[in-house]
Amino acid sequence: MAEGKDHNNILDEVTSGEYKYGFYTDIEMDTAPKGLTEDTIRFISAKKNEPEWMLEFRLKAFKYWLTIAEPNWAHLHHPPIDYQDIIYYAAPKKKPSLSSLDEVDPELLDTFNKLGISLEEQKVLAGVAVDAVIDSVSVKTTFTETLSKKGIIFCSFSEAVREHPELVKKHMGSVVPYRDNYFAALNSAVFSDGSFCYIPKGVRCPVELSTYFRINAANTGQFERTLIVADEGSYVSYLEGCTAPQRDENQLHAAIVEIVAEHNAEVKYSTVQNWYPGDKEGKGGIYNFVTKRGLCRGNHSKISWTQVETGSAITWKYPSCVLKGDNSIGEFYSVAVTNNYQQADTGSKMIHLGKNTKSTIISKGISAGHSNNSYRGMVRVAKKATNSRNFSQCDSLLLGDKCGAHTFPYITTGNESSIVEHEATTSKISEDQLFYCQQRGIDSEKAISLIVNGYAKEVLNKLPMEFAVEAQKLLAITLEGSVG
Amino acid sequence: MKETNSSVLESAILKKFSNLTLDHADDSDYMTQIRRQAFEAFKSGGLPRRTEEKWKNSKFDQVLENQMEFLTEKPEYNTEVSEIFHCSIHGFTTQVEAFLNGWYYTPNKNPLKVHDNGLIIGSIRAAQHQYPELFNLHFGKIAQHNQHGFSVVNMGLFQDGLFIYVPDGVFVEESIQLIKMVNAAKKLMINTRNLVILGKNSRLSLMHCDDSVNHQSSLINTVSEIFVGENATLDLYKLQNINDVTCLINSTSVWQSRNSRVKVNVITLNGGTIRNELNVDLQGEGAEADLNGIYLMDKKQQVDNQVFVNHAVPHCNSSELFKGILDEESTAIFNGYIHVNKDAQKTNAFQRNNNILMTPDAKVDTMPFLEIYADDVKCSHGATIGQLDNEAMFYLRQRGINEKDARLLLMYAFAAEVTDKIDITPLRVNIEDMVKKRLRGELSICEKCVLHCSTPDIPLEFEIDLSKI
Amino acid sequence: MLLDIKNLHVSINGKEILKAFNLTVNKGEVHAIMGPNGTGKSTLAAAITGREGYEITQGEIWFNGELINDMSPDERANKGIFLSFQYPVEIPGVSMTNFMRTALNAKREFNNQPPVSASDFLKKMEEMKNLVEIHSKLTNRSVNEGFSGGEKKKNEIFQMAMLEPTMAILDETDSGLDIDALKVVAKGVNALRADDNGFVVITHYQRLLDFIVPDFVHVMYDGSIVKSGGKELALELEANGYEWIKEAVAEK
């Protein structure tokens, strides 16, 4: 019956209107001056008491970034971004080093409560260890002790740089090098903080690790960096969720997520992205340029991405898997919803390098209002990746006649023993389905929410339970008022 | 294009362009102006490089450093076409219009014929003077959305081409066969341009055959513009069977008016580097386009099919089916692009590309794109890259067929989905035969083969499940 | 008077399908509407339920004393009009349980009632499933997806039982059913017949009327009712076909 109950909650949410996560937390900030120079990078590094090698890495990335141009191939249109008009570092002034929740700034706790994701509640009810990131610096890590008994390291990126430099040095940039792309170079130069996670050999992480990101200070770019390393035979499920307060000015977000899976390791990474999408006229909203990539380094390793994208004015994001180990598996499940003037260019890349590698891409795009929603995906099977297999399905659903749905798959196969299949459909909600629901007394808005959730079910089912509930709510809220 | 970066070919083209007024002294004013514009465009743009999205993985950049020559003067021909060229398609008659090295081959003919029913066929050079209204109305307009370096060069330097005008209500009974032969001792760059105009309620079946009769490496750059009037029907067959070193760009742009029907079959049997561009602009409600292609490549050949379908208005249907078999070190590129305009409601668009790789060295890039701005549409696309179905292979072998024959049979069945779409029966039989021969690679195994090509009355003894292939 | 249709004219894409159609259904009555293909039977069902694209150019549809011409389909449904579809549509990913619960609660909300409790809902589901002999677990099946023809029709009657309409229209519910399934469907309908509701049974064949015995039989031809009578009229049609009706109309 859980399903029916969740659904009712969604319907309640639908009627509640405005973007509900639009509040602002008043916390004193310690900020860098606007703009980006070598000095800014030295400032960030110094603020964080970083070792010399970290500063060098940042500076190398910065120098490279200066030499390259912003990519323009995506099906996205936005005014040029003034990179000198952005504050690259903002941190709560009270440097926290806390051992219990009681020590957390009560205002922050209140923020989480408003979001409905209070640490307390999560800790007790869901058994989830939360590494909460407000703006740029990690504020609180819970369950560290429980996890550390198993040898699991789950901490802020800054802490990892200090406490586990050998692990960071070994893996940082190994999956997403700073030269990878424009936004990866930018992130590598100025990243503020993020999460680090290491699962030792043979350990199955007993809880779902999660981070909540929020952009809080006005005019502050958010540059997260996450590194997850799953050693041989380990398993971890990682959740990332975002809700951002309402802002009029566009804000830039350029994150990096790197995942390394060694022999027989498995990593499940789930995201619900709900950054502020801008208002109904397309004013404001987050620019979200993210590089997410997993490396199946070992044989029989597996990396699985699941994402529900409902927010951001602009989304540029292609969670990818490099299947290097033989028999490794990559998966990508995505629901991307755009409404009003949102633009999304998102999809996945599956690079098959090892033998007998398998990948699956299931992408469900939903466009409404004046939005444009593009799937862009690449499947590449290298010559040596014999007997590899890919299946991609990319469906688009259109609501209204002012929006666009596009599909841009790039498929290359270089050997004869592999099989690659791509299927895609574009359709609207059929009038027959709508009428059927209406004839049963369900009004058109509820009917659409019902049908859309059904359409996206294949992907939503891949999310952990509590995330699936949130994701369903978001779908309904995002599509509010899209028919009529 | 900066002078310093010019390739050998670009320099040769620039030099050729500088001679425009001399080489094309007999052009109409309209034409002269168009050629000059192309010259300016070429000066700034040059030829495409593979760094450009639309030329990704294309082997065309290898011609950039080739020293090519142009045949500026129309040579004198004395022999009949039949004496120098035998078409391997037989069993039905066509009206043959031949071109040799890019020049209209008319030993004893007027360059422009007007038939009793008003049908006009002949050289495009003559048409620009004799039918300026028709010519100026369509020339350069239909292909204008597909501009790249090679098409710009074609616009500016085309030497000759075929002009066909089918008046309103005229059904052209006999297929017109356009044969383009290349036979020269030198490496030639050949630029030809065709203009085909179908009036209201008319019908035309056109075969566009590219053949080479020698082994010199040439660069053939052809642009065809086809206007299909209201409720008119066009069947277009593009047959390509050229040598392993020739590069061919065959760019066809079709403008479809209301309720018109266009069927295109692109059959690529052999060629060095082939790029087929097919642009179909559905500009009238109720128009239908059925686009099919089969390519069978081996050695180091490359075929690149760029298929663009623009749904500009509501209630149009389009379907694309391109299939290919890649042997040895051959490569194939498929880029299908369906664009549905925001007003083009009730659009049905379908696109599929299937590929079979026979060896570890063959390679396929497929990019089936959809760009959709209308909501009341049914669009689907699919692409596969794989190999012959193992289960089907086993089934055949269990019935006692050896591996080689079984493979052949399955390949043939794979190709048959496309060749079945050819409506003219003798042509289909011939093309099927050519496909079979092409797939076999040799004729000596004929007697043993289960396909009984030489004795078609003996039926095959078992059914093949096409859905598995 | 439950349903009162007066001089109804309905067009699709400018083409008139229903022409001066009149019908009155009182509480407790079952009306059968028969007639050859293409006479507008399904158009009638669509017009009563408010389907888009069916334009009422003239006339009135009254339901329970209210003019419903301009009401949305869901409003009509919540007021108690139910249509058993000739071709029930598939809705992938939407489970039957979720669908039914949403529909039931929409109606309860409409009537200012609190949502149904989970246990009551489940109990009712089980009860009504038994009524129409649905044995599969509907929880994990999407609406009509993968249902056989017979299952789809049973599912329509099941939904009718769940939603308890006052006016049910069965649009060729019998077509494509074998005799066993037909009996099950009829049993379901008969169990729901009551003094305070009415039925309009649109059918092609007299067969269904052996099991759902109508109070009135109407023959429809070319957009209006050309002959009305008791249940014996159906037998007459079965014996003589529709030709005599067509001829009679032609003579007029």
Side-chain angles (χ1 to χ4, degrees), chain A residues 73 75 372 378 380 383 398-428 431, chain B residues 53 56-57 337 342 345-346 357-387:
Chain A
W73 41 260
H75 198 281
N372 269 296
M378 177 192 273
R380 170 161 258 149
K383 201 171 152 104
L398 290 147
L399 306 174
D401 56 2
K402 306 269 190 308
C403 51
H406 320 300
T407 317
F408 304 107
Y410 298 76
I411 305 160
T412 303
T413 305
N415 74 59
E416 91 290 8
S417 57
S418 298
I419 300 176
V420 178
E421 282 176 88
H422 173 96
E423 282 174 16
T425 60
T426 301
S427 54
K428 66 183 263 184
E431 280 165 16
Chain B
E53 168 102 9
K56 226 169 121 186
N57 300 317
Y337 212 113
K342 69 178 167 56
Q345 299 293 3
K346 306 282 178 196
L357 295 180
M358 302 297 292
T359 71
D361 297 312
K363 189 169 171 264
V364 169
D365 285 282
T366 176
M367 293 155 278
F369 291 174
L370 299 176
E371 193 170 345
I372 297 168
Y373 295 94
D375 66 330
D376 195 2
V377 297
K378 274 196 201 116
C379 297
S380 66
H381 70 182
T384 60
I385 306 174
Q387 56 272 194

Side-chain angles (χ1 to χ4, degrees), chain A residues 261-264 294-303 321-330 351-358 384-386 388:
Chain A
E262 303 286 7
H263 288 304
N264 298 306
L295 172 62
C296 284
R297 184 145 62 196
N299 297 341
H300 297 279
S301 56
K302 180 177 175 185
I303 293 176
C321 298
V322 179
L323 305 171
K324 196 173 169 206
D326 291 348
N327 302 297
S328 59
I329 298 171
I351 315 292
H352 293 253
L353 300 175
K355 294 184 181 66
N356 309 315
T357 46
K358 283 195 180 68
K384 286 181 180 162
T386 49
S388 293

Side-chain angles (χ1 to χ4, degrees), chain C residues 30-34 193 203 205-219 227-239:
Chain C
V30 174
H31 290 246
I33 294 185
M34 303 182 74
R193 277 176 82 159
T203 179
Y205 310 105
Q206 189 268 337
R207 190 180 64 155
L208 176 70
L209 306 180
D210 287 343
F211 301 100
I212 304 173
V213 182
D215 301 304
F216 301 94
V217 174
H218 308 279
V219 182
K227 193 171 177 63
S228 298
K231 61 188 177 204
E232 63 289 344
L233 179 58
L235 293 167
E236 202 176 329
L237 288 168
E238 182 78 0

Side-chain angles (χ1 to χ4, degrees), chain C residues 57-235:
Chain C
T57 53
Q58 215 184 317
E60 291 163 353
I61 307 174
W62 292 83
F63 180 66
N64 263 335
E66 269 186 293
L67 184 66
I68 61 167
N69 279 27
D70 296 323
M71 281 184 192
S72 70
D74 42 302
E75 203 177 349
R76 297 182 204 211
N78 286 325
K79 284 190 185 293
I81 300 175
F82 179 92
L83 173 63
S84 166
F85 285 72
Q86 185 180 0
Y87 304 109
V89 68
E90 299 181 1
I91 311 178
V94 177
S95 77
M96 269 307 297
T97 310
N98 198 356
F99 178 68
M100 233 36 276
R101 196 173 145 88
T102 308
L104 196 61
N105 281 335
K107 183 167 183 173
R108 292 179 68 89
E109 194 186 322
F110 187 82
N111 295 325
N112 292 317
Q113 290 168 314
V116 64
S117 79
S119 62
D120 287 351
F121 176 73
L122 275 186
K123 228 161 71 188
K124 189 162 183 174
M125 283 271 284
E126 280 311 306
E127 191 188 326
M128 298 309 167
K129 268 168 65 181
N130 289 334
L131 177 69
V132 292
E133 298 177 22
I134 291 179
H135 304 299
S136 67
K137 264 185 85 180
L138 291 176
T139 328
N140 34 21
R141 294 187 73 179
S142 296
V143 179
N144 292 322
E145 198 181 44
F147 283 38
S148 70
E151 276 181 310
K152 279 184 184 169
K153 294 297 171 77
K154 279 189 197 174
N155 188 19
E156 292 294 293
I157 303 304
F158 161 72
Q159 292 178 40
M160 180 171 83
M162 288 296 290
L163 296 172
E164 300 170 278
T166 42
M167 175 80 247
I169 303 156
L170 311 184
D171 189 2
E172 304 216 5
T173 301
D174 54 331
S175 60
L177 288 188
D178 63 34
I179 190 73
D180 294 334
L182 184 72
K183 281 180 184 166
V184 170
V185 165
K187 187 187 91 184
V189 173
N190 288 328
L192 297 168
R193 277 176 82 159
D195 291 341
D196 60 350
N197 62 20
F199 287 80
V200 171
V201 181
I202 295 172
T203 179
H204 221 63
Y205 310 105
Q206 189 268 337
R207 190 180 64 155
L208 176 70
L209 306 180
D210 287 343
F211 301 100
I212 304 173
V213 182
D215 301 304
F216 301 94
V217 174
H218 308 279
V219 182
M220 222 179 136
Y221 183 66
D222 193 23
S224 51
I225 289 171
V226 293
K227 193 171 177 63
S228 298
K231 61 188 177 204
E232 63 289 344
L233 179 58
L235 293 167

Side-chain angles (χ1 to χ4, degrees), chain A residues 1-12 15 364 428-458 461 472, chain C residues 46 49-52 72-75 77-78 81-85 88-95 97-107 109 115 118 121-122 139 143-144 155-156 159 163:
Chain A
M1 267 335 294
E3 196 184 359
K5 189 164 161 256
D6 301 338
H7 185 73
N8 279 341
N9 294 342
I10 298 163
L11 297 183
D12 293 341
T15 50
K364 304 272 181 179
K428 66 183 263 184
I429 289 180
S430 89
E431 280 165 16
D432 287 346
Q433 289 174 339
L434 265 184
F435 180 68
Y436 193 82
C437 293
Q438 283 184 283
Q439 212 299 307
R440 297 297 183 255
I442 303 166
D443 69 43
S444 59
E445 195 139 291
K446 279 181 196 164
I448 284 184
S449 162
L450 199 63
I451 295 168
V452 163
N453 269 307
Y455 164 80
K457 200 174 195 171
E458 207 178 339
N461 279 347
Q472 289 199 348
Chain C
T49 51
R51 187 160 195 153
E52 209 179 313
S72 70
D74 42 302
E75 203 177 349
N78 286 325
I81 300 175
F82 179 92
L83 173 63
S84 166
F85 285 72
V89 68
E90 299 181 1
I91 311 178
V94 177
S95 77
T97 310
N98 198 356
F99 178 68
M100 233 36 276
R101 196 173 145 88
T102 308
L104 196 61
N105 281 335
K107 183 167 183 173
E109 194 186 322
F121 176 73
L122 275 186
T139 328
V143 179
N144 292 322
N155 188 19
E156 292 294 293
Q159 292 178 40
L163 296 172

Side-chain angles (χ1 to χ4, degrees), chain A residues 3 6-7 10 268 270-272 305-310 332-337 362-364 366 449-476, chain C residues 93 98:
Chain A
E3 196 184 359
D6 301 338
H7 185 73
I10 298 163
K268 227 175 118 97
S270 312
T271 311
V272 170
W305 299 97
T306 306
Q307 62 172 32
V308 174
E309 302 277 320
T310 60
F332 174 75
Y333 300 97
S334 168
V335 175
V337 188
I362 307 286
S363 162
K364 304 272 181 179
I366 301 159
S449 162
L450 199 63
I451 295 168
V452 163
N453 269 307
Y455 164 80
K457 200 174 195 171
E458 207 178 339
V459 174
L460 297 177
N461 279 347
K462 297 284 173 185
L463 288 170
M465 186 56 200
E466 62 271 31
F467 246 31
V469 174
E470 196 171 329
Q472 289 199 348
K473 283 184 204 170
L474 283 178
L475 288 188
Chain C
N98 198 356

